[in-house]
Amino acid sequence: MSTMQAARTPDLADRARQDERADASALYEIEDASFEVDGRPLLQRLTLTLGAGRMIALVGHNGSGKSTLLKLLARQQAPSRGSLRFAGRELGAWPAREFARRVAYLPQHPPLTTGLTVRELVALGRYPWHGALGRLRDEDRATIDDALQVTDTARFASQLADPLSGGERQRAWLAMLVAQRASCLLLDEPISALDITHQIDVLRLLRRLTDDHALTVVIVLHDINLAARFCDELVALHSGRLLTSGPPAQLMQADVLEAIYGIPMDIVAHPRGGSPIAVAR
């Protein structure tokens, strides 16, 4: 980070803290949380509040700490220091099954689905509700059918999941999360391997789920323009530190984006009156 960028960082962090205090509908509360491996910090001390019922993007350069933060939120790893609360309760105090009924996590590289049809994959989302040995009830089957319809995957529900196109397979995974009936979805780069058509398709689906089903979606995204277009809030990290957070209009500023990504950026108006577009110089 340049000297000019470093000088801007405290102001951005102050702005982030002001935004956090203004958010009264906290779903996640993170206080002085950090994470390190073998003494190497991957996430510096971070204080942040994430509100409910919003689509929130974690943005920043590679290695900025986005996936690390998401894993902390998902309880995939515990913070080295500090605390995290979900819905007012310490994250570690949630029983595993109860937490899985509230929070669904999709890693950057989901496991193989060898031999599973799309319907069978989606049915795995019901696990927190009936357990490994439990049988599907009528309520479970109805929930699975609803998830297939909502995500437009019913048309290939009987097909094997692995041979599907990247976009179709990603929709199948999202259908599984919908079937889980969690109120919060945590997604690590769900569109990184998709072409632009399927990227827009998946983000439109997530936007619709947020709006129509009152879900909270926290998503790691690399494309700042897509993040600004579809999300209510952006959380920007740099080198494991929180730089700033706020609505897209607040972050889509040339100086803020330069501090986030380390290169000069210009902001241009969308030709059809949409969200401002960031362009690297």
Side-chain angles (χ1 to χ4, degrees):
M1 183 183 294
S2 67
T3 303
M4 183 178 296
Q5 293 163 354
R8 289 194 188 104
T9 301
D11 292 335
L12 296 176
D14 289 343
R15 192 183 305 171
R17 285 191 288 272
Q18 292 169 5
D19 291 338
E20 292 155 17
R21 287 194 294 269
D23 187 355
S25 57
L27 183 66
Y28 275 102
E29 298 168 279
I30 309 164
E31 293 187 2
D32 289 328
S34 63
F35 182 77
E36 59 185 44
V37 175
D38 296 329
R40 181 171 69 92
L42 300 183
L43 194 68
Q44 307 284 354
R45 292 176 59 179
L46 181 152
T47 296
L48 178 68
T49 296
L50 301 178
R54 299 167 65 78
M55 188 167 169
I56 303 167
L58 306 183
V59 300
H61 61 83
N62 288 340
S64 60
K66 303 184 298 297
S67 294
T68 299
L69 175 56
L70 198 74
K71 288 177 181 177
L72 292 183
L73 299 178
R75 295 209 317 186
Q76 297 297 302
Q77 53 198 23
S80 302
R81 298 178 184 81
S83 67
L84 287 87
R85 290 188 296 277
F86 176 79
R89 189 192 305 185
E90 287 291 334
L91 210 57
W94 284 85
R97 182 171 294 181
E98 188 178 354
F99 186 72
R101 291 177 176 179
R102 300 287 298 274
V103 177
Y105 169 65
L106 184 64
Q108 183 178 353
H109 303 291
L112 295 176
T113 55
T114 305
L116 289 179
T117 66
V118 169
R119 178 177 289 276
E120 289 168 339
L121 172 61
V122 175
L124 294 178
R126 300 305 298 160
Y127 172 79
W129 299 92
H130 62 67
L133 300 179
R135 294 184 177 182
L136 293 177
R137 300 162 297 179
D138 289 342
E139 177 186 350
D140 296 310
R141 295 187 184 91
T143 300
I144 293 165
D145 288 339
D146 181 60
L148 291 166
Q149 292 295 331
V150 166
T151 56
D152 192 28
T153 51
R155 52 197 168 90
F156 47 82
S158 61
Q159 298 181 35
L160 291 175
D162 273 347
L164 295 175
S165 70
E168 291 173 334
R169 191 164 55 250
Q170 199 69 323
R171 274 183 170 270
W173 280 107
L174 291 175
M176 187 198 75
L177 301 191
V178 172
Q180 193 170 328
R181 285 291 171 92
S183 59
C184 179
L185 308 184
L186 306 176
L187 312 171
D188 194 353
E189 298 188 38
I191 65 171
S192 61
L194 304 181
D195 59 50
I196 185 63
T197 299
H198 286 103
Q199 288 181 0
I200 297 294
D201 199 31
V202 167
L203 290 173
R204 280 177 175 161
L205 169 61
L206 292 171
R207 183 71 259 176
R208 190 168 72 249
L209 290 173
T210 303
D211 294 337
D212 296 348
H213 297 266
L215 297 185
T216 302
V217 175
V218 184
I219 179 172
V220 174
L221 289 174
H222 279 295
D223 190 317
I224 188 64
N225 290 316
L226 290 179
R229 175 178 172 181
F230 286 98
C231 296
D232 302 299
E233 182 179 354
L234 310 181
V235 175
L237 300 171
H238 191 293
S239 302
R241 293 182 172 85
L242 173 68
L243 284 185
T244 187
S245 66
Q250 179 176 300
L251 272 70
M252 292 296 281
Q253 307 289 336
D255 61 333
V256 177
L257 294 178
E258 184 175 353
I260 294 171
Y261 293 105
I263 59 173
M265 306 279 278
D266 290 322
I267 305 297
V268 299
H270 193 285
R272 297 192 177 182
S275 302
I277 299 173
V279 180
R281 292 180 193 170

